[in-house]
């Protein structure tokens, strides 16, 4: 399976799964690389964003939204942005997609901003975990999925900003090859994840 973001939700479920199905052996691979599920012989993947491949079957696993966060010491030192154009004067931590090398866009509500907001690129990271760690260390402001930083926000390690201006959300799906016989062990795994769906709208 694929997509490091999904690890945050999947890992707490594994104990229950292996207890319920002790004879099923799991081989898990958490990374941000966009894999070819069919060509690489992967049984199932959890992926965010557009599915794209019509040869794959899919079940929805939930939705999320993006938020901007930074560490309180960073904001104490550099100030809190009040509108998106204030980001020009801040350190912005950007995510770089490992497959394409492109920077992830920070999407803002066009009705509220009225224009495309240029975002500085102070530091880049190709993993969500590194981006979270950098923001918690006070290196700047990061654009992250809400579920990935919910605990840090709850403990005031990170603080959300500009929440009313951020527009983009996303979804997770469970994917598997549609051109293969679905093995019983794969079926119970997909059914289990569907049963334990942990993300709701903007969870």
């Amino acid at each position: 399976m694929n997509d490091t973001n999904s690890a945050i939700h999947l890992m707490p479920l594994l104990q229950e799964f292996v207890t319920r199905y002790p004879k099923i052996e799991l081989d898990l691979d958490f990374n941000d690389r966009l894999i070819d599920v069919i060509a690489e012989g992967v049984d199932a993947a959890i992926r965010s964003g557009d599915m794209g491949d019509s040869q794959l079957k899919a079940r929805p696993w939930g939705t999320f939204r993006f938020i901007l966060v930074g560490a309180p010491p960073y904001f104490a030192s550099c100030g809190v942005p009040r509108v998106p154009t204030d980001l020009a004067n801040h350190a912005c931590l950007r995510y770089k997609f490992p497959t394409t090398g492109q920077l992830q866009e920070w999407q803002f509500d066009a009705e509220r901003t009225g224009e495309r907001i240029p975002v500085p690129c102070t530091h880049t990271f190709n993993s969500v975990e590194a981006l979270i760690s950098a923001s918690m260390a006070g290196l700047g402001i990061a654009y992250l999925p809400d579920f990935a930083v919910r605990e840090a926000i709850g403990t005031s390690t990170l603080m959300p900003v500009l929440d009313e201006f951020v527009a983009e959300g996303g979804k997770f799906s469970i994917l598997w090859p549609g051109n293969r016989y679905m093995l019983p062990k794969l079926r119970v795994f997909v059914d289990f994840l569907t049963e334990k769906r942990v993300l709701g709208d903007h969870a």
Side-chain angles (χ1 to χ4, degrees), residues 111-127:
E111 293 185 1
R112 296 187 65 89
T113 61
E115 58 182 337
R116 183 179 180 276
I117 305 297
V119 178
C121 182
T122 308
H123 304 293
T124 62
F125 303 83
N126 66 356
S127 83

Side-chain angles (χ1 to χ4, degrees), residues 34-42 45 47-59 171 173-180:
L34 183 61
I35 65 171
D36 186 325
V37 174
I38 294 176
E40 298 185 37
V42 174
R47 185 179 295 168
S48 59
D50 184 15
M51 298 307 99
D53 193 335
S54 61
Q55 299 184 70
L56 300 176
K57 292 188 175 181
R59 286 189 191 174
K171 64 180 180 179
S173 297
I174 310 165
L175 310 174
W176 67 94
N179 61 350
R180 296 187 211 150

Side-chain angles (χ1 to χ4, degrees), residues 87-102:
L87 293 171
N89 300 314
H90 283 270
C92 294
L93 313 178
R94 304 288 298 275
Y95 177 78
K96 181 189 293 185
F97 292 101
T99 305
T100 65
Q102 295 182 340

Side-chain angles (χ1 to χ4, degrees), residues 52-143:
D53 193 335
S54 61
Q55 299 184 70
L56 300 176
K57 292 188 175 181
R59 286 189 191 174
W61 203 42
T63 60
F64 60 93
R65 63 185 298 269
F66 285 95
I67 57 176
L68 292 171
V69 295
Y74 170 82
F75 292 126
S77 174
C78 301
V80 177
R82 301 301 178 186
V83 293
T85 52
D86 289 347
L87 293 171
N89 300 314
H90 283 270
C92 294
L93 313 178
R94 304 288 298 275
Y95 177 78
K96 181 189 293 185
F97 292 101
T99 305
T100 65
Q102 295 182 340
L103 293 176
Q104 183 181 28
E105 292 291 332
W106 291 15
Q107 300 290 338
F108 297 99
D109 186 343
E111 293 185 1
R112 296 187 65 89
T113 61
E115 58 182 337
R116 183 179 180 276
I117 305 297
V119 178
C121 182
T122 308
H123 304 293
T124 62
F125 303 83
N126 66 356
S127 83
V128 172
E129 290 83 356
L131 192 57
I132 294 172
S133 295
S135 60
M136 292 173 65
L139 295 185
I141 299 172
Y143 181 80

